[in-house]
Amino acid sequence: MSEPDPPIVLHALETCMTTPILSARNIEKSFGQMRAMQGANFDIHEGEVVALIGDNGAGKSTLTKILSGVLQPDSGEIYIDNTLVHFDSPLDARAHGIETVYQDLSLAVDLNAVQNLYLGREIASPGLMGRLGFLDKALMRRKAQESFARLGVRVPDMRAAVANFSGGQRQGIAVARALMWAKRVVFMDEPTAALGVAQTRNVLDLIRRVRDTGVSVVLISHSMPDVLAVSDRVTVLRHGRRVATYTTSTVTSDELVGAMTGALEREGAAA
Amino acid sequence: MSEPDPPIVLHALETCMTTPILSARNIEKSFGQMRAMQGANFDIHEGEVVALIGDNGAGKSTLTKILSGVLQPDSGEIYIDNTLVHFDSPLDARAHGIETVYQDLSLAVDLNAVQNLYLGREIASPGLMGRLGFLDKALMRRKAQESFARLGVRVPDMRAAVANFSGGQRQGIAVARALMWAKRVVFMDEPTAALGVAQTRNVLDLIRRVRDTGVSVVLISHSMPDVLAVSDRVTVLRHGRRVATYTTSTVTSDELVGAMTGALEREGAAA
Amino acid sequence: MTIDTASSKSTTKDQASMQHEVAPQKSVIRRLLDGPELMIFGSLIIIIAIFTVMAPTAFLSGINLRNMAIEASMMMILAVGMTYVIITSGIDLSVGAVLVFSSVASLIAMRATGSDAPWVPVLGLAVALASGAFWGLVNGLLIARARLTPLIVTLASMGIALGLARLMTGGVDLTGVPRSIVTSIGIGRIGGIPVIVLIACVFASVAGIALHMTRFGLYTYAVGSNEQGARRAGIKVDRHLISIYVFSGVCAGLAGYLTLTRFSSTTISGHAMDNLKAITAVVLGGASLFGGIGSMYGTAAGVFIPVVLASGLIIVGLPSFWQEVAVGIVLLAAVLLDQYRRRTRSS
Amino acid sequence: MTIDTASSKSTTKDQASMQHEVAPQKSVIRRLLDGPELMIFGSLIIIIAIFTVMAPTAFLSGINLRNMAIEASMMMILAVGMTYVIITSGIDLSVGAVLVFSSVASLIAMRATGSDAPWVPVLGLAVALASGAFWGLVNGLLIARARLTPLIVTLASMGIALGLARLMTGGVDLTGVPRSIVTSIGIGRIGGIPVIVLIACVFASVAGIALHMTRFGLYTYAVGSNEQGARRAGIKVDRHLISIYVFSGVCAGLAGYLTLTRFSSTTISGHAMDNLKAITAVVLGGASLFGGIGSMYGTAAGVFIPVVLASGLIIVGLPSFWQEVAVGIVLLAAVLLDQYRRRTRSS
Amino acid sequence: ASASDDISVSLVLGQRNSGFHEAIACGARAAAKELGVKVNIQAAPTYSASEQIPVLNAVMATSPSAIVLDPTSSTALIAPLMEAAANGAKIVAVDTTLDDPSVLSAVVGTDNESVGRETAKALAKALDGKSGKVAQINSIPGISTVDARIKGFEEEIKKYPNLTYIGNQFASEDIPKAQQAYVSLMSANPDLIGVVSQSNNPAIGVAGGIRSTETAESVVAIAVDADEAEIEALNEGLLDALVIQQPYEMGYVGFKQAVAAVKGEPVETPIGTGTVTATKANIADPDVAKYLYEGNCI
Ligand SMILES: Nc1ncnc2c1ncn2[C@@H]1O[C@H](COP(=O)(O)OP(=O)(O)OP(=O)(O)O)[C@@H](O)[C@H]1O
Ligand SMILES: Nc1ncnc2c1ncn2[C@@H]1O[C@H](COP(=O)(O)OP(=O)(O)OP(=O)(O)O)[C@@H](O)[C@H]1O
Ligand SMILES: [Mg+2]
Ligand SMILES: [Mg+2]
């Protein structure tokens, strides 16, 4: 099924003439009989923060995984800079500068915070040792400490496995990891769900700073205030389809909620 | 260390003369060298909603686990109706009518939604079969369906293992389970962190309805709007200690944030 | 209060959308076809078909069918307990040794009576089951209460039980099994069906029903799926684990008693591989060593495959050494097929 | 961009409180003492002390120390590979069979040359290692690419490898191992230390350093800790798993070659329990079968305990069957002690 | 020459749980008692060189005056035994010998190929000229003594043109597996008239198979050794003949030779102990009964 988006009230058209750096067209994905993606579209332009919102089970995480190379869609296309691409693995997405904070965090809980931060991108020791696969643990620890401090992530013990960290502490590490490495697009699947007030504020600040360096951010969140505070545009998913896209400056929380719950569909735009 | 709470500005004294149904005194708990609870106190009265807030790692989940019988404190006392009690296991706490939504949800992911809802409290078949341990699956499924509907929890497939459910779907099941069985106190450790807007609203509604039937609710949340919307009082934890308690009607979001982050301590009450 | 009694107003909208998302309920048959056990049954049927075509008279002869059924029955009894253990994410390496210990203890007890009264075999059975239960209790206590790794605990109890069995026999197999049980159970038949097979069928059916339809079975899955979660839900996890290891021990005790009746002597050195065989059957049947997943009918299929292969390969005349090679290849083919089916179905 | 280059203003407050919560950094010694391996070392030392007191001259005789070291070395070589495998949450039941296969293949190759030129032993070693690598590759491909359960895959390859080894030998042990390697390796010593022990030490040290200090080792823990997470972090999980099973196979191949030099013949009947012994050593050493946890020095201690026990119990003259009982009891005592220490430490 | 009470002799057996090895131990104990010599008996868990050598090594560390052992391999034990000899111990091999016997003070044993030939003869005798198929069911490949017996059987059976040998099935030490192998062979070859097992465990499995298929009348089964369970099967009519070695003699004589070697007295070697073929008819004869294996000596 690759019919176009349903004719829903669009409070804003696409931010116009610039080509999106990442866009998805007619993505379909089923798990057994569950049709999680039913022809979803998605676009993000350079240096913008797009909030991706929707009800539980709307398909936000599934779309994120597809655009991060974790899942392969049943059908549909993904374009980067208008070029058709195929992501067979997360490595492919990463090669295009895409980083992701997964909703399940995807940390290796038996490793410590530093090892998680650098997982897959360790700093080798200088010289021969490095070529033999030895790692510069001291350097990585120092840099990690800097990064955590900058992000306001509190790590109770740099050498302890993250298995016993609190929910927020783990999430902080996952967020730090994605932001540290992102080149073009960061997907953040509910990055602040377990974070405290100060930490959440930090992450929102950071999202803005990242955006200002030209990296695009896709923020998935159930917190309308956060969405309104930080995003440039909002895309709403429902039953695996994009049902609306808004420019943040012209939309209200109630309108967003209406679009998510389908009140719009049933009752018109008078939510 | 069982010194009394530090002399912090208390915007409200205890709700006064009624005795708390559950109270904790001078709770200490260390994990190795990490002192997660450093003499925490906590009180909740009948039919009130107390929000328990604090920064990441402040000890909210640890306190919850101690008051649910999951963890045993190193020292300190727990009173129910002014009687000293000891919780050696979650069963002990449950025998006192205490239910909990854990931050990690504590679902058996290989079981389905109905089985999780009734886990530990299955409905036996009538008659001899029941005494042999057979279960009335049909009845449980019917009742579960009713409960989920009432709570607005969407379960994509009642017979599927919850392993592949979305984050919010799982959380909905965990919340439904605790609310369904609570008799006196429900602890809810970030119950809406993964929930959508509508589901969150539902849970907040439900907390109020539960409160109205005389059950007390302890709500742990990082969302100040939610806390302010639903709670009667707010208790703030910091570094494993209670640092303040407020009556919700007289406090602002900024004051709460100040108390959590310690701005109060350093800068006085002028947050 | 329970929310069952709370009235609801504000959620009608969500109910509507809930209906929208509920997948069509599947039929029981559809679910069985979807189950991970199916393909193992499929492999079993393919294997049987091949041997039937290659050597119809010999393979399907009454003698051979009966014997395969007996062989599978003996292994099934061990695998029944192992299924429970593996679903809790445990493992029980001691089953073979406990089998030997139970049969030795049982035979010594029967011989000690010096009588062949009809109650002697009953005593023997009681001793065998009690011995099995004892070792299961030891395992269970060390695993559930002392929180030791099942692998090490059951490895240790395996060594201890086997050593003690050998001490009790003085190192050579004992004889003197009452004739009555050899004829009535060991080689007995009812309506042409070996008694041992009937016993195993009843035993496995009861254990299967308990696993899939009762609270006990449900808790077994819950413990294997999320032990901490089960504990928090008020399940007495320790007690449950202990009873499961006791049950596994009892299974081994029963198998030990039946072994006595089959061979009319103890068979001390013949069971070193029983643990691995039982584990293989359970895993072939779709269970995961990480717990939470598995089924009794899967195990039944898993038990038959090696037995049918062993017999069929001899019948078609494959030389001895090639048989081992063939068994390995067929095992791989069976799980590959199973894996292929699961992938095409779910993504 | 990376946040390393982003400037920071608004977070000084949090930095302050972060300092507050950082636990004092522990010294290397403290961490070693805290490690789960310690108590197993402690148990080992206690066992050694007891035997030393009971039979000082015999137990500490050069002959006995040397032989225990050789015995442990042979097992260590298998356990080195098994440590990697278990940390990835896998299991390798095929090591004993691959050992036999490799030694048979190696010996047949050496005999086929009909020469005793100095390159013949080198050829033999190459054949042994290549055979091991081949079986490891088979295991690894089926586990990583076809996503089959390690237990079933390695059980199947165990049967196939053993069957083929027996086919190649015709079922009887082959002799004709070049004298030169028997004297230089099998019974050779350098500075009083058996050559086999030196080889095992170097081998285990290199593998231990690789596990604990290199990227390869780190990825091994990551894969075992959260396979999906490792994949998402860009680790080539499949390739990594394959190389680990290949490595385990190479370990078995090396052990097979050394076995030839020790016994100057193949030993096709003798390695049925090697898989369980290696797994036991690794788990005794603190590894978890659920992956993500384990260490090479833990494994080393785990290897020595059964070897020291077996030798010590014979030396103090315990009758054979009591030895089995005693080994079981000591194993339990060792893990109980370890468990006790961990509990008192962490809660 | 030294006094008897300074002498300690260690017996290192190839396997636990076998009547054969128990009987060797009993013979050695009897000799030790007679001579007033200390004896230490140890056995490997299973019959293989890689299991026996660690046991031998540990025994060596106790510096016994002599070691009596049944070598599980004719090559693998040479090196450790040379080390033991260099350590001053006299070595006596029982049951079988080594490829290089120079390290041995004495050898007391059976020729295992001839044991195999005896099983073939016993089979032919019991079949009494009938023609049909015969097979072997044995434990595992790589056990040197059994391998020799299999070879002896296969050579001898060729002399009987009425018997068609259809090969050997290895069923491991697993008794049920041997039973299953028997039944499968039966099903595939209805004209199977004879089965031979060269050691005790497969023999017990075969007996179980004969019992459950009720083929005692139509099939002749021959086995080696005289464990209690085998004797019972013989009495039950499931097995038709047992080829019995003389392990008790091996242990007794071997031990005495070892003590003699230590004392510097003359040593007789090699000493062959023969075999006896027991049937249901003659098993009660004292001449045969005295060779039945006893246990509880390890
Ligand atoms: N691996 C899977 N197997 C089966 N069903 C799945 C799987 N992953 C997701 N689903 C289903 O697909 C639908 C969409 O899930 P998804 O996780 O994308 O939702 P979401 O929008 O992220 O929700 P939430 O806000 O709760 O995180 C859900 O109904 C979920 O149950
Ligand atoms: N089992 C454990 N072992 C070691 N440390 C632990 C354990 N559980 C909690 N901690 C530590 O105790 C402190 C308090 O943790 P807790 O989970 O109670 O925090 P929290 O207030 O719930 O935080 P969050 O908002 O992030 O959930 C944290 O620093 C955490 O790392
Ligand atoms: Mg999601
Ligand atoms: Mg928490």
Side-chain angles (χ1 to χ4, degrees):
Chain A
M1 250 204 357
S2 60
E3 46 175 89
D5 289 342
I8 282 284
V9 184
L10 284 188
H11 283 241
L13 290 166
E14 299 297 313
T15 23
C16 66
M17 302 301 87
T18 68
T19 63
I21 62 170
L22 174 67
S23 77
R25 285 286 163 269
N26 303 317
I27 303 287
E28 306 255 341
K29 177 79 187 173
S30 299
F31 300 103
Q33 306 188 331
M34 165 60 62
R35 300 184 56 205
M37 293 274 95
Q38 312 191 21
N41 293 332
F42 182 77
D43 300 275
I44 186 165
H45 297 76
E46 189 163 334
E48 72 171 345
V49 178
V50 174
L52 181 61
I53 66 173
D55 235 345
N56 290 131
K60 306 180 294 298
S61 297
T62 304
L63 182 60
T64 301
K65 287 180 195 157
I66 289 171
L67 297 181
S68 307
V70 168
L71 291 175
Q72 279 65 51
D74 299 337
S75 68
E77 301 93 45
I78 303 172
Y79 299 89
I80 289 190
D81 299 327
N82 271 350
T83 318
L84 187 65
V85 291
H86 286 283
F87 294 161
D88 290 329
S89 82
L91 270 182
D92 293 345
R94 236 167 59 176
H96 286 100
I98 298 172
E99 290 293 324
T100 308
V101 182
Y102 295 95
Q103 192 169 12
D104 66 6
L105 305 185
S106 288
L107 297 175
V109 293
D110 296 310
L111 300 185
N112 65 33
V114 181
Q115 289 168 328
N116 269 294
L117 196 66
Y118 279 90
L119 194 61
R121 284 179 273 224
E122 297 76 12
I123 303 178
S125 295
L128 178 67
M129 297 293 275
R131 253 170 293 141
L132 287 174
F134 286 86
L135 304 175
D136 195 335
K137 291 189 186 180
L139 180 61
M140 283 192 282
R141 175 149 53 239
R142 218 170 43 244
K143 286 198 165 199
Q145 239 148 0
E146 285 168 26
S147 299
F148 288 135
R150 202 168 291 132
L151 192 58
V153 173
R154 295 169 192 185
V155 179
D157 181 350
M158 281 293 204
R159 297 185 206 226
V162 303
N164 288 328
F165 284 11
S166 84
Q169 289 162 344
R170 293 194 203 191
Q171 196 160 44
I173 294 168
V175 170
R177 175 166 66 176
L179 289 180
M180 180 153 168
W181 300 110
K183 296 268 167 346
R184 304 202 66 185
V185 183
V186 201
F187 284 88
M188 302 180 94
D189 196 349
E190 310 196 17
T192 61
L195 290 188
V197 176
Q199 286 82 355
T200 300
R201 205 190 285 151
N202 262 310
V203 169
L204 298 184
D205 276 357
L206 213 84
I207 289 176
R208 284 194 204 93
R209 290 216 307 275
V210 165
R211 188 236 345 246
D212 294 346
T213 65
V215 175
S216 312
V217 179
V218 181
L219 172 68
I220 297 174
S221 174
H222 291 300
S223 162
M224 289 309 114
D226 290 359
V227 163
L228 293 174
V230 80
S231 70
D232 301 309
R233 289 189 304 129
V234 183
T235 292
V236 183
L237 276 194
R238 205 168 127 68
H239 298 326
R241 276 202 208 86
R242 177 168 69 180
V243 293
T245 298
Y246 302 92
T247 300
T248 307
S249 51
T250 65
V251 77
T252 66
S253 182
D254 286 345
E255 281 172 305
L256 292 180
V257 173
M260 280 192 282
T261 56
L264 266 181
E265 268 171 300
R266 283 199 297 275
E267 308 164 25
Chain B
M1 249 203 0
S2 60
E3 48 174 85
D5 288 342
I8 280 285
V9 184
L10 283 190
H11 283 241
L13 290 165
E14 297 298 313
T15 23
C16 66
M17 300 300 89
T18 68
T19 64
I21 62 170
L22 174 67
S23 78
R25 286 284 162 272
N26 302 319
I27 303 289
E28 305 254 342
K29 177 80 187 172
S30 297
F31 300 102
Q33 306 189 333
M34 165 60 62
R35 299 184 57 206
M37 294 275 94
Q38 312 191 23
N41 294 332
F42 183 76
D43 299 275
I44 186 164
H45 296 75
E46 189 163 334
E48 72 170 347
V49 178
V50 174
L52 181 63
I53 66 172
D55 234 344
N56 290 130
K60 305 179 296 298
S61 297
T62 305
L63 183 60
T64 301
K65 286 180 194 157
I66 288 171
L67 297 180
S68 308
V70 169
L71 290 175
Q72 280 66 52
D74 298 338
S75 68
E77 300 95 45
I78 302 172
Y79 298 89
I80 288 190
D81 299 327
N82 272 349
T83 319
L84 187 66
V85 292
H86 285 284
F87 295 160
D88 290 328
S89 81
L91 270 182
D92 293 346
R94 237 167 57 174
H96 286 99
I98 298 172
E99 290 293 324
T100 309
V101 182
Y102 296 94
Q103 192 169 12
D104 65 8
L105 306 186
S106 287
L107 297 175
V109 292
D110 296 311
L111 300 185
N112 65 33
V114 181
Q115 290 168 328
N116 269 293
L117 196 66
Y118 279 90
L119 195 61
R121 283 180 275 223
E122 296 76 12
I123 303 178
S125 294
L128 176 68
M129 296 293 277
R131 254 170 292 141
L132 287 175
F134 285 86
L135 304 176
D136 195 336
K137 291 189 187 178
L139 180 61
M140 283 193 282
R141 175 149 53 237
R142 217 169 43 242
K143 286 198 165 199
Q145 239 149 0
E146 283 168 29
S147 301
F148 287 136
R150 203 168 290 129
L151 193 58
V153 173
R154 296 171 192 182
V155 179
D157 181 350
M158 281 292 204
R159 300 187 204 223
V162 303
N164 287 329
F165 284 13
S166 85
Q169 289 162 343
R170 293 193 203 193
Q171 196 161 43
I173 294 167
V175 169
R177 174 165 69 177
L179 289 179
M180 179 153 170
W181 301 109
K183 298 264 167 349
R184 304 201 64 185
V185 183
V186 202
F187 283 89
M188 303 179 93
D189 196 349
E190 310 196 16
T192 60
L195 291 188
V197 175
Q199 286 81 356
T200 299
R201 206 191 283 152
N202 263 310
V203 170
L204 297 184
D205 276 357
L206 213 86
I207 289 177
R208 285 194 204 94
R209 291 214 308 273
V210 164
R211 189 243 335 256
D212 294 345
T213 66
V215 174
S216 311
V217 179
V218 182
L219 172 68
I220 297 174
S221 174
H222 290 300
S223 162
M224 289 309 115
D226 291 357
V227 163
L228 294 174
V230 81
S231 71
D232 301 309
R233 290 190 304 129
V234 183
T235 291
V236 184
L237 277 194
R238 206 168 124 69
H239 298 327
R241 277 201 207 86
R242 177 168 69 182
V243 294
T245 298
Y246 302 92
T247 301
T248 307
S249 52
T250 66
V251 76
T252 66
S253 179
D254 285 346
E255 282 172 305
L256 293 179
V257 174
M260 282 192 282
T261 55
L264 268 181
E265 269 171 300
R266 284 200 296 275
E267 307 165 25
Chain C
M1 85 111 219
T2 69
I3 41 169
D4 285 357
T5 64
S7 72
S8 161
K9 274 189 312 232
S10 65
T11 51
T12 37
K13 200 160 62 187
D14 288 288
Q15 254 173 296
S17 54
M18 190 188 95
Q19 299 306 331
H20 183 101
E21 292 212 357
V22 167
Q25 302 262 324
K26 299 181 194 168
S27 73
V28 174
I29 291 173
R30 175 87 206 125
R31 309 212 119 241
L32 219 72
L33 285 174
D34 271 4
E37 305 81 20
L38 172 77
M39 202 39 86
I40 288 300
F41 264 113
S43 306
L44 178 59
I45 288 165
I46 294 173
I47 294 167
I48 291 177
I50 292 175
F51 287 132
T52 305
V53 169
M54 288 179 77
T57 49
F59 186 74
L60 293 185
S61 67
I63 270 189
N64 194 48
L65 290 180
R66 265 199 307 276
N67 189 66
M68 287 193 299
I70 292 179
E71 209 47 62
S73 298
M74 295 298 302
M75 191 41 62
M76 186 67 198
I77 290 174
L78 293 180
V80 159
M82 192 67 83
T83 305
Y84 276 87
V85 168
I86 286 181
I87 289 174
T88 66
S89 80
I91 201 157
D92 188 350
L93 295 180
S94 70
V95 288
V98 172
L99 184 161
V100 168
F101 181 94
S102 303
S103 62
V104 167
S106 169
L107 183 52
I108 288 179
M110 289 192 283
R111 296 207 317 185
T113 64
S115 126
D116 49 5
W119 54 265
V120 172
V122 179
L123 169 79
L125 179 62
V127 170
L129 298 182
S131 310
F134 168 76
W135 286 107
L137 187 66
V138 170
N139 287 336
L141 286 173
L142 288 167
I143 291 164
R145 292 251 191 268
R147 303 281 157 83
L148 304 183
T149 328
L151 183 93
I152 298 285
V153 169
T154 57
L155 188 82
S157 62
M158 164 176 119
I160 299 173
L162 208 54
L164 290 178
R166 289 169 173 175
L167 279 168
M168 294 194 296
T169 61
V172 287
D173 279 314
L174 302 180
T175 59
V177 179
R179 267 308 315 146
S180 60
I181 54 173
V182 175
T183 49
S184 68
I185 303 176
I187 57 172
R189 291 185 214 157
I190 295 179
I193 301 174
V195 173
I196 290 181
V197 174
L198 292 174
I199 293 176
C201 280
V202 172
F203 188 75
S205 305
V206 171
I209 290 172
L211 179 63
H212 294 292
M213 299 175 64
T214 71
R215 181 177 284 128
F216 188 84
L218 182 68
Y219 287 4
T220 307
Y221 285 97
V223 168
S225 188
N226 183 347
E227 180 178 325
Q228 209 174 43
R231 227 177 267 280
R232 292 178 183 174
I235 296 174
K236 297 196 172 100
V237 172
D238 294 359
R239 227 176 57 183
H240 196 77
L241 280 176
I242 292 171
S243 51
I244 279 173
Y245 282 94
V246 168
F247 178 61
S248 179
V250 168
C251 290
L254 176 61
Y257 186 74
L258 295 181
T259 302
L260 279 184
T261 71
R262 271 184 85 192
F263 296 111
S264 104
S265 76
T266 60
T267 48
I268 301 180
S269 51
H271 299 276
M273 288 295 155
D274 280 8
N275 47 15
L276 213 53
K277 285 192 205 165
I279 293 167
T280 304
V282 175
V283 174
L284 265 184
S288 157
L289 289 180
F290 296 100
I293 301 173
S295 78
M296 204 54 85
Y297 28 99
T299 297
V303 159
F304 266 99
I305 288 184
V307 169
V308 169
L309 272 181
S311 167
L313 291 172
I314 292 178
I315 286 179
V316 302
L318 202 67
S320 214
F321 299 142
W322 281 110
Q323 289 168 25
E324 296 169 56
V325 178
V327 168
I329 291 173
V330 174
L331 274 191
L332 285 181
V335 284
L336 264 174
L337 209 64
D338 186 41
Q339 187 62 29
Y340 174 75
R341 181 191 59 84
R342 271 189 246 189
R343 267 207 235 170
T344 49
R345 184 175 63 97
S346 86
S347 78
Chain D
M1 85 114 222
T2 68
I3 41 172
D4 284 357
T5 63
S7 73
S8 162
K9 271 190 311 231
S10 62
T11 52
T12 37
K13 199 161 61 188
D14 287 288
Q15 253 174 297
S17 53
M18 185 187 100
Q19 298 305 332
H20 184 102
E21 293 209 358
V22 167
Q25 302 260 327
K26 299 178 191 169
S27 73
V28 175
I29 291 174
R30 176 88 208 125
R31 312 213 116 241
L32 220 69
L33 286 175
D34 273 4
E37 305 80 21
L38 172 78
M39 201 41 88
I40 287 299
F41 264 112
S43 306
L44 179 60
I45 288 165
I46 293 173
I47 294 168
I48 291 176
I50 291 175
F51 287 131
T52 305
V53 169
M54 289 178 76
T57 49
F59 187 74
L60 293 185
S61 66
I63 247 187
N64 193 46
L65 292 180
R66 258 199 313 274
N67 282 321
M68 288 195 301
I70 291 179
E71 211 50 59
S73 298
M74 295 299 300
M75 190 43 64
M76 186 67 196
I77 291 174
L78 292 181
V80 160
M82 193 66 85
T83 305
Y84 276 88
V85 169
I86 286 181
I87 289 175
T88 66
S89 81
I91 201 157
D92 189 351
L93 296 180
S94 70
V95 289
V98 172
L99 185 161
V100 170
F101 182 94
S102 304
S103 62
V104 168
S106 167
L107 182 52
I108 288 179
M110 288 192 284
R111 298 206 316 185
T113 63
S115 127
D116 49 4
W119 53 268
V120 172
V122 178
L123 168 79
L125 178 62
V127 170
L129 298 182
S131 310
F134 168 77
W135 286 107
L137 186 66
V138 170
N139 287 335
L141 286 174
L142 288 167
I143 291 165
R145 291 250 191 268
R147 303 279 157 84
L148 304 183
T149 329
L151 183 93
I152 299 285
V153 169
T154 57
L155 187 84
S157 62
M158 166 176 116
I160 300 174
L162 206 56
L164 291 178
R166 288 170 176 178
L167 273 169
M168 292 192 297
T169 62
V172 288
D173 275 316
L174 304 178
T175 57
V177 180
R179 257 336 288 152
S180 59
I181 54 172
V182 174
T183 47
S184 67
I185 303 176
I187 56 174
R189 293 186 213 155
I190 294 177
I193 301 174
V195 172
I196 289 181
V197 175
L198 292 174
I199 293 176
C201 280
V202 172
F203 188 73
S205 308
V206 171
I209 290 173
L211 179 63
H212 294 291
M213 299 174 62
T214 70
R215 180 178 285 131
F216 189 84
L218 181 69
Y219 286 4
T220 307
Y221 285 97
V223 168
S225 188
N226 184 348
E227 181 179 323
Q228 208 173 45
R231 227 176 268 279
R232 291 178 185 175
I235 296 175
K236 297 197 174 97
V237 172
D238 294 358
R239 227 176 56 184
H240 196 77
L241 281 175
I242 293 171
S243 51
I244 278 174
Y245 283 92
V246 168
F247 178 61
S248 179
V250 168
C251 290
L254 176 61
Y257 186 74
L258 295 181
T259 303
L260 280 184
T261 70
R262 262 188 91 191
F263 301 138
S264 67
S265 77
T266 59
T267 46
I268 56 175
S269 71
H271 300 275
M273 288 294 155
D274 281 8
N275 48 14
L276 212 54
K277 286 187 197 167
I279 293 167
T280 305
V282 175
V283 174
L284 265 184
S288 158
L289 289 181
F290 296 101
I293 301 173
S295 77
M296 204 53 84
Y297 29 99
T299 297
V303 159
F304 266 99
I305 287 184
V307 169
V308 169
L309 270 180
S311 164
L313 291 172
I314 291 174
I315 287 177
V316 303
L318 202 67
S320 282
F321 298 144
W322 281 111
Q323 289 169 25
E324 297 170 39
V325 178
V327 168
I329 292 174
V330 174
L331 275 192
L332 284 181
V335 283
L336 264 173
L337 208 66
D338 185 42
Q339 188 61 28
Y340 175 76
R341 180 193 60 85
R342 270 189 248 189
R343 268 205 237 170
T344 50
R345 183 176 64 98
S346 86
S347 78
Chain E
S2 49
S4 292
D5 46 1
D6 297 345
I7 301 177
S8 68
V9 179
S10 289
L11 184 64
V12 178
L13 296 171
Q15 190 179 6
R16 300 171 192 170
N17 290 109
S18 102
F20 179 81
H21 293 88
E22 288 285 349
I24 295 179
C26 290
R29 276 202 199 284
K33 202 169 162 201
E34 215 171 273
L35 299 173
V37 168
K38 286 194 287 288
V39 62
N40 175 18
I41 301 181
Q42 297 291 344
T46 58
Y47 196 94
S48 92
S50 53
E51 303 271 12
Q52 192 184 28
I53 287 172
V55 177
L56 171 64
N57 283 335
V59 161
M60 226 150 68
T62 63
S63 312
S65 332
I67 294 173
V68 179
L69 95 168
D70 66 318
T72 48
S73 155
S74 53
T75 45
L77 281 141
I78 295 176
L81 285 176
M82 297 222 282
E83 191 179 6
N87 223 25
K90 302 291 178 192
I91 316 289
V92 172
V94 295
D95 183 24
T96 181
T97 184
L98 299 177
D99 286 351
D100 172 10
S102 62
V103 68
L104 302 175
S105 302
V107 179
V108 182
T110 339
D111 171 4
N112 277 297
E113 281 191 30
S114 82
V115 171
R117 279 194 287 274
E118 287 303 319
T119 59
K121 287 181 194 154
L123 180 66
K125 189 167 172 222
L127 284 171
D128 196 20
K130 265 206 286 183
S131 44
K133 291 179 178 165
V134 298
Q136 287 191 90
I137 295 178
N138 283 306
S139 56
I140 42 175
I143 292 182
S144 52
T145 53
V146 172
D147 291 341
R149 291 176 206 163
I150 293 172
K151 190 160 164 249
F153 175 89
E154 287 174 348
E155 277 165 12
E156 183 71 18
I157 201 71
K158 290 186 191 130
K159 296 181 186 161
Y160 303 93
N162 55 327
L163 301 179
T164 318
Y165 175 53
I166 58 168
N168 175 35
Q169 294 289 341
F170 282 109
S172 85
E173 300 284 1
D174 185 333
I175 291 169
K177 208 168 164 201
Q179 154 154 6
Q180 205 188 352
Y182 172 79
V183 177
S184 303
L185 278 179
M186 269 295 307
S187 309
N189 305 283
D191 51 345
L192 185 75
I193 54 170
V195 184
V196 173
S197 291
Q198 304 290 355
S199 62
N200 58 330
N201 278 328
I204 294 167
V206 167
I210 293 175
R211 185 189 292 116
S212 78
T213 56
E214 294 163 351
T215 44
E217 295 303 312
S218 54
V219 176
V220 166
I222 311 292
V224 175
D225 289 343
D227 283 34
E228 208 178 316
E230 287 179 289
I231 296 165
E232 183 172 283
L234 186 74
N235 285 327
E236 223 182 297
L238 301 171
L239 299 180
D240 295 271
L242 298 176
V243 174
I244 303 176
Q245 307 175 75
Q246 298 178 9
Y248 186 92
E249 303 300 299
M250 293 176 196
Y252 183 82
V253 176
F255 195 92
K256 286 203 157 170
Q257 299 304 310
V259 174
V262 173
K263 289 185 174 164
E265 291 164 5
V267 171
E268 196 185 333
T269 186
I271 301 174
T273 53
T275 59
V276 176
T277 301
T279 60
K280 198 173 176 180
N282 73 2
I283 191 153
D285 292 356
D287 269 357
V288 175
K290 73 178 180 196
Y291 293 122
L292 300 184
Y293 302 174
E294 24 178 325
N296 217 353
C297 295
I298 290 180

